[in-house]
Amino acid sequence: MSVYLPAGLLLLAASHTNVAKGVFEFQLTCPGRATMTVSRVYYGLTTLLWPEHQFQIAAGKTFSRLDNGDRVSVTLFRNGDQMMVDDRTGETFFSYAGSNKVIPCQRSANRAIQIVTLPSWHPASDRHS
């Protein structure tokens, strides 16, 4: 999958911190949609939530390169939305399902989130451990 960004596209600065191999979330504000919350957790799972109970998931990400050589991570959500992040600068872009338009977004800093570990269930004994 290739990502094409027009040569004259004004890139908005984005706040981006590294949460190495952690579990984190950030807010993403893009024209055309209410502010979204993106959560990245273990095993490549990414969730996307925005007001009025809209929720999407994505598994894994693919990679592409810009004309200047920067690597871009592309996350494809189940509804067809795509989120693109310049791995060097942290600049984040979005393409809504059904559109070929790539729009720049403003991104908050990453924030670590807590993981809830649920107990395993054993159906034979009908008890938790």
Side-chain angles (χ1 to χ4, degrees):
M1 171 181 290
S2 294
V3 176
Y4 173 74
L5 298 177
L9 182 64
L10 173 63
L11 304 180
L12 297 177
S15 173
H16 179 71
T17 59
N18 291 323
V19 180
K21 296 191 180 192
V23 177
F24 62 93
E25 70 180 15
F26 56 89
Q27 303 294 311
L28 193 60
T29 304
C30 308
R33 185 176 288 169
T35 298
M36 299 174 276
T37 300
V38 177
S39 300
R40 293 203 187 258
V41 297
Y42 300 118
Y43 307 110
L45 178 66
T46 302
T47 63
L48 178 65
L49 173 70
W50 68 98
E52 303 311 319
H53 310 293
Q54 301 295 319
F55 181 79
Q56 292 296 321
I57 61 170
K61 49 187 167 178
T62 58
F63 301 94
S64 187
R65 293 222 177 257
L66 299 175
D67 290 341
N68 67 3
D70 284 0
R71 188 174 89 153
V72 175
S73 301
V74 180
T75 303
L76 177 61
F77 293 93
R78 298 285 300 185
N79 70 340
D81 285 352
Q82 294 181 71
M83 180 178 65
M84 294 140 282
V85 179
D86 183 318
D87 290 346
R88 183 180 61 83
T89 66
E91 293 168 318
T92 304
F93 303 87
F94 215 84
S95 179
Y96 299 118
S99 171
N100 291 328
K101 187 175 180 183
V102 175
I103 55 175
C105 302
Q106 293 180 342
R107 176 180 172 160
S108 71
N110 291 345
R111 179 177 65 197
I113 55 177
Q114 295 294 102
I115 292 295
V116 175
T117 303
L118 300 174
S120 58
W121 179 69
H122 302 282
S125 65
D126 198 34
R127 62 187 159 107
H128 300 276
S129 59

